[in-house]
Amino acid sequence: MKPASFDYFRPSTVEEAFQVLSQSGDDGKLIAGGQSLIPIMNMRLSAPSCLIDINGLKELSYIRADDEWIRIGALTRQREVERSALIREKSPLLTEAVPFIGHMQTRNRGTVGGSVVHADPTAELPLSLLALNGRVVIASADEKREVELSDFFITYLTTDIMPHEMLTEVKIPVAAVPMGFSFQEYSRRHGDFALVAAACVIDTDLEGRISAARLVLGGVDAVPILAEEAMDALIGETLTESLLDKAGDLACMNVDPEGDLHATREYRRHLAGVFAKRAIMAAYEKATGKGG
Amino acid sequence: MIKMSAGERVEISLKINGKVYEERTEPRKLLSDFLREECGLSGTHVGCEHGVCGACTVLVDGAAVRSCLMFAIQAEGADIQTVEGLAKDGQPHSLQKAFSECHALQCGFCTPGILMSAVDFLDSHADPTTDEIKEMLSGHLCRCTGYKGIIDAIEQAAFRRKEGENVNGSGDTI
Ligand code: FES
Ligand code: FES
């Protein structure tokens, strides 16, 4: 299992990277942490003829926050997010979700941008960032644009990014009020791909009524899915057992998973309901101060 | 900017276990193969070659990573530790000693990778819980031991380190 040969470029500035990207056309493939790309290259499922290594672009490795946005540079390692005090304070859903990504040994190298552009429908970061209403910054030699995550994922491993472009930053709006949040995942083995994962953020008013809710399910379709009907059902209500059941049922109906070797379609759908409910419940408890 | 064409072999310099190595590599050569074939450091084992088994784990600038999921050229200038660097002056590292005492290995194929992860892990977890150790070990497959001995060994090494016991004086510089 050795990768096929490729030309190798390691730019030392973002401008150089754009230059190589536009010269290499469809043949160029960016490599960041490589924790998803190198396995598929080793298995020869992918054989890019030109590899552009962005690990030299230290300026793309940062976690910052101002009043409006939390910004994470594309090359930031997952492990840095896991350990970041700023993320723990401002966006603790990520702190809860990141330990589910692979293993400590892969998070040491895997990056935030890499996980988002790889767009595996079971991946934890795309799911959580969508729940957090995040955006991506995409740049090329002559343009810079921002895309809402809800418009970014197209299908399995496919996003709204062109061969000459590069994702440079992920940004999350800083919520005005601290929100309740929860990330839940079920996989066959710890660190393996999720069968189903759910991320939920909830805000409540002083009476405990839900004023805002976002629920995202992963592993149940070609892209992470916003469970909009379930979200709508929650708004304006206090969480009761029957409302929770209803939201879980709506979340199940929202999804149309595929069956595979690891789980049948019915089982995945069942899990989607169970994990949606767990995530809603835990997020609600945190929002109302009961869950610690 | 660094540029190499497919198949081109260039010399890279990196530090492994405190010693500078200057060896040739082509772009597609994995760090695991580079360590074994070019540097003669065959203590780093290669199991699955796609990031699942953990046998190839080494420290790159202090962090435990899969050497089969990195190209050697990406490690240019890095500071690498492999299992060969654990023992000092003929004395085993405290983890190695604990592994031996707790029967934490049988065939030993998985052991070098687990040792290197455990070094990184104990650096940030001075007083780890059994669950934290299990979580760290989830990145490693061992087909022999059933893991119990490995968990015991890591707990023992952590305990001794906490108690400040210097096991046979190895000093454990990493
Ligand atoms: S050989 Fe690298 S993880 Fe298995
Ligand atoms: S001791 Fe044989 S694989 Fe772990």
Side-chain angles (χ1 to χ4, degrees), chain B residues 105-110 142-145:
Chain B
L105 62 150
Q106 289 178 31
C107 78
F109 192 85
C110 66
C142 173
R143 298 297 80 178
C144 303
T145 63

Side-chain angles (χ1 to χ4, degrees), chain B residues 45-57 66-69:
Chain B
H45 292 167
V46 172
C48 66
E49 293 194 296
H50 65 284
V52 174
C53 74
C56 66
T57 305
R66 313 281 209 224
S67 60
C68 74
L69 296 189

Side-chain angles (χ1 to χ4, degrees), chain A residues 3-8 41 48-51, chain B residues 4-7 27-28 71:
Chain A
S5 275
F6 50 82
D7 294 334
Y8 177 80
M41 286 177 67
S49 58
C50 164
L51 209 61
Chain B
M4 280 169 80
S5 20
R28 71 181 187 128
F71 297 110

Side-chain angles (χ1 to χ4, degrees), chain A residues 81-154:
Chain A
V81 176
E82 186 178 350
R83 290 174 163 174
S84 159
L86 188 67
I87 293 292
R88 186 179 295 274
E89 184 203 325
K90 304 256 185 197
S91 192
L93 175 67
L94 289 180
T95 313
E96 195 168 295
V98 169
F100 286 97
I101 309 174
H103 307 283
M104 172 264 263
Q105 300 85 348
T106 57
R107 294 194 294 276
N108 269 333
R109 194 138 177 92
T111 65
V112 171
S115 168
V116 175
V117 283
H118 186 59
D120 185 301
T122 65
E124 293 79 2
L125 278 171
L127 202 68
S128 318
L129 293 165
L130 179 56
L132 293 166
N133 218 347
R135 289 183 185 192
V136 289
V137 179
I138 298 167
S140 63
D142 36 41
E143 201 197 353
K144 190 168 173 176
R145 61 194 179 100
E146 285 190 13
V147 181
E148 302 261 355
L149 268 191
S150 46
D151 298 327
F152 183 66
F153 301 112
I154 294 174

Side-chain angles (χ1 to χ4, degrees), chain A residues 196-198 200 202 210 213-217 220 225-235 239-257 266-282:
Chain A
V196 162
C200 183
I202 278 180
I210 296 171
R214 277 173 82 84
L215 173 67
V216 183
L217 296 167
V220 293
I225 295 293
L226 258 183
E228 294 187 43
E229 287 171 36
M231 282 156 41
D232 290 345
L234 293 169
I235 302 291
L239 193 63
T240 58
E241 212 158 304
S242 63
L243 178 63
L244 188 61
D245 285 342
K246 183 177 162 200
D249 289 346
L250 287 169
C252 274
M253 281 160 47
N254 242 236
V255 301
D256 188 18
E266 291 72 26
Y267 183 48
R268 273 211 166 86
R269 190 194 290 274
H270 166 75
L271 284 178
V274 172
F275 280 76
K277 280 164 64 174
R278 286 190 193 170
I280 294 168
M281 178 84 164

Side-chain angles (χ1 to χ4, degrees), chain A residues 31-32 41 70 72 88 114 124 128 141 151 167 183 203-204 233 236 239 250-251 258 283 288:
Chain A
I31 180 168
M41 286 177 67
I70 301 159
I72 308 177
R88 186 179 295 274
E124 293 79 2
S128 318
D151 298 327
L167 186 152
F183 186 90
D203 223 352
T204 50
L239 193 63
L250 287 169
E258 276 179 34
T288 51

Side-chain angles (χ1 to χ4, degrees), chain B residues 116-159:
Chain B
M116 300 321 287
S117 278
V119 168
D120 179 1
F121 174 74
L122 289 183
D123 271 352
S124 52
H125 297 78
D127 194 7
T129 63
T130 309
D131 278 350
E132 286 172 332
I133 295 174
K134 285 186 184 168
E135 148 116 46
M136 179 278 286
L137 281 177
S138 73
H140 291 274
L141 296 180
C142 173
R143 298 297 80 178
C144 303
T145 63
Y147 302 98
K148 176 79 174 74
I150 301 176
I151 295 167
D152 291 347
I154 296 173
E155 282 180 339
Q156 188 180 109
F159 177 75

